[in-house]
Amino acid sequence: MTAIAVHQFAHCITCHAWSPDHSMVAFCPNNNEVHIYKSLQDNWERVHVLQKHDQLISGIDWSVRSNRIVTASHDRNSYVWNLEGSEWVPTLVILRLNRAALCVQWSPKENKFAVGSGAKTVCICYYEQENNWWVSKLIRKRHDSSVTNVAWHPNNLLLATTSTDGKCRIFSTFIKGVDTKDSKAGTFSDSKFGELIVQLDLSFSWAFGVKWSASGNTLAYAGHNSMIYFVDEVGPSPLAQSVAFRDLPLRDILFVSERMVIGVGFDCHPMAFAADERGIWSFVRFLGEKKTASGSKYGSQFSEAFGKLYGQPRQGVGNDSVESSRLRGCVHENCINCIVPLKEPGGRGSTIKRFSTSGLDGKVVIWDLEGQDDLSQYL
């Protein structure tokens, strides 16, 4: 079992983020608040409650260098929280949205952050010292539906997005006066703000959980059709691979190395995907105890589903399904909707051996890949 700690913080958790030293965790308990817990003598105690939003908080990100928290909510607003003394003070963000904000992420240099929304737009926000607020520039008329996830390229200029229109897109976010032209960014530093670099039409269903590898050479995202997509050499002629799996769809993913991705979603189990020496990606296994996949089991599952369709009592069916889930050794008991890396403080390596997940069961689970012999070759 790779789960080394399980914390039941709430009945349901929408999203979570860690402080730079991992001593505190911030999460939304499926409402309009952010609860911050701190580890004190092997116990977790609630030390702050951030109250400013009016509706469900859909995204949280905690910056590593500046120790600032950014939140996004269905109330169409976003706030940047700064720790002043012992209190977290919110700073207004001008988003100019007419639909819910769905996701948020700091850029690698933490001088910008991106907010995806249900208004088919992406807000790139930066700080204006004169007015003491965060303003935004909008990437408009590029998406045909809600923007579900955003991911920054390591060069701080490119931004990848996924949408419920089934497409993954990569944009330039260069802002004059905020960004500097970097030779390492290549030709992308000459791109205008909002310029569409590439559009990937690999999925025919909703797309979620886009992420870049640490080097920025590989992009991955998940489809609601139980597929995950890997793209190399992002540009005019990208190289793409599609991996189909027989289990439930993913909601979020994480690169733990250049050759390994962890996916989480509706199956309640983290799933490991890896690339071999030829660069061919495939599903490896579930983390934690594997689910049994014998023929008799599938037969019983069919019988159970058939019984549900034709009038078994709801209460009995619910109890059976929960019990079978526990028998399979699930750590999470409901959909996992968020996965966050736990990098060593001050560490510079690109390999991530610890990460945390949170889900609709209200748990935050810490996982450790150390000692997993069959996975160590990919780290």
Side-chain angles (χ1 to χ4, degrees):
M1 180 74 73
T2 55
I4 61 173
V6 180
H7 305 291
Q8 183 77 52
F9 286 122
H11 292 294
C12 181
I13 291 179
T14 309
C15 49
H16 78 284
W18 291 89
S19 63
D21 61 357
H22 305 156
S23 64
M24 293 188 288
V25 60
F27 62 87
C28 170
N30 200 38
N31 58 18
N32 62 335
E33 299 176 344
V34 174
H35 292 189
I36 300 179
Y37 278 69
K38 186 174 184 178
S39 178
L40 299 171
Q41 298 178 351
D42 297 330
N43 292 319
W44 289 88
E45 296 184 9
R46 190 170 69 183
V47 292
H48 299 285
V49 177
L50 310 186
Q51 297 175 315
K52 193 68 176 178
H53 290 285
D54 298 326
Q55 297 183 27
L56 177 72
I57 294 174
S58 50
I60 303 173
D61 198 14
W62 201 324
S63 62
V64 177
R65 301 177 184 175
S66 56
N67 194 35
R68 293 180 296 200
I69 298 174
V70 61
T71 57
S73 168
H74 287 184
D75 62 9
R76 301 172 294 168
N77 291 321
S78 179
Y79 292 95
V80 175
W81 303 79
N82 295 275
L83 185 60
E84 298 181 4
S86 60
E87 297 294 328
W88 287 93
V89 179
T91 304
L92 178 65
V93 181
I94 308 299
L95 290 183
R96 296 178 292 157
L97 292 176
N98 59 4
R99 295 291 186 275
L102 301 179
C103 53
V104 64
Q105 188 180 52
W106 286 105
S107 67
K109 293 183 180 179
E110 299 177 8
N111 59 344
K112 302 181 289 185
F113 62 88
V115 178
S117 73
K120 309 178 187 179
T121 61
V122 179
C123 305
I124 307 300
C125 306
Y126 59 96
Y127 187 67
E128 273 193 355
Q129 188 73 38
E130 299 81 9
N131 299 313
N132 188 31
W133 61 24
W134 292 76
V135 297
S136 63
K137 295 189 69 173
L138 272 58
I139 300 177
R140 301 175 182 268
K141 300 180 180 179
R142 296 292 190 176
H143 299 87
D144 297 323
S145 191
S146 299
V147 179
T148 57
N149 286 95
V150 294
W152 288 94
H153 189 278
N155 65 13
N156 207 69
L157 295 180
L158 298 184
L159 182 77
T161 67
T162 49
S163 171
T164 48
D165 62 11
K167 297 177 175 59
C168 177
R169 299 172 175 89
I170 300 172
F171 298 96
S172 169
T173 65
F174 181 84
I175 300 177
K176 188 176 181 180
V178 177
D179 297 303
T180 57
K181 293 189 176 182
D182 190 353
S183 59
K184 295 181 180 179
T187 57
F188 298 126
S189 61
D190 297 326
S191 303
K192 297 180 180 180
F193 177 86
E195 181 179 341
L196 180 62
I197 305 299
V198 65
Q199 177 174 297
L200 303 169
D201 301 327
L202 303 178
S203 177
F204 296 98
S205 62
W206 299 342
F208 294 102
V210 63
K211 289 291 190 304
W212 294 91
S213 65
S215 66
N217 295 328
T218 306
L219 176 74
Y221 67 100
H224 204 59
N225 54 351
S226 292
M227 295 189 73
I228 184 170
Y229 306 93
F230 300 92
V231 183
D232 295 311
E233 300 182 17
V234 174
S237 302
L239 301 177
Q241 298 180 47
S242 302
V243 178
F245 47 94
R246 63 187 305 171
D247 299 279
L248 298 179
L250 301 176
R251 282 289 280 110
D252 201 4
I253 64 175
L254 173 69
F255 274 93
V256 294
S257 72
E258 292 293 326
R259 296 178 55 199
M260 187 173 173
V261 164
I262 304 297
V264 297
F266 293 95
D267 207 73
C268 308
H269 282 269
M271 304 171 67
F273 300 85
D276 59 17
E277 294 79 4
R278 300 170 298 168
I280 305 300
W281 289 86
S282 62
F283 169 66
V284 180
R285 67 172 175 88
F286 291 97
L287 298 186
E289 294 184 16
K290 287 187 179 181
K291 293 192 294 187
T292 56
S294 62
S296 60
K297 182 65 178 178
Y298 281 118
S300 64
Q301 288 177 351
F302 176 79
S303 301
E304 182 182 0
F306 193 81
K308 289 180 183 179
L309 184 63
Y310 288 98
Q312 280 188 1
R314 288 187 178 181
Q315 185 175 0
V317 172
N319 291 340
D320 290 343
S321 61
V322 171
E323 185 63 23
S324 62
S325 174
R326 289 173 181 168
L327 290 175
R328 290 199 298 263
C330 289
V331 179
H332 281 285
E333 297 176 352
N334 208 326
C335 171
I336 307 173
N337 52 19
C338 184
I339 180 170
V340 177
L342 290 172
K343 297 181 180 179
E344 293 295 330
R348 297 184 178 180
S350 59
T351 301
I352 298 170
K353 294 186 178 181
R354 285 193 178 189
F355 57 89
S356 65
T357 58
S358 64
L360 302 184
D361 56 0
K363 294 179 181 178
V364 173
V365 181
I366 299 176
W367 304 80
D368 193 349
L369 298 177
E370 198 74 46
Q372 303 294 309
D373 297 334
D374 57 333
L375 301 178
S376 59
Q377 59 178 316
Y378 304 111
L379 295 176

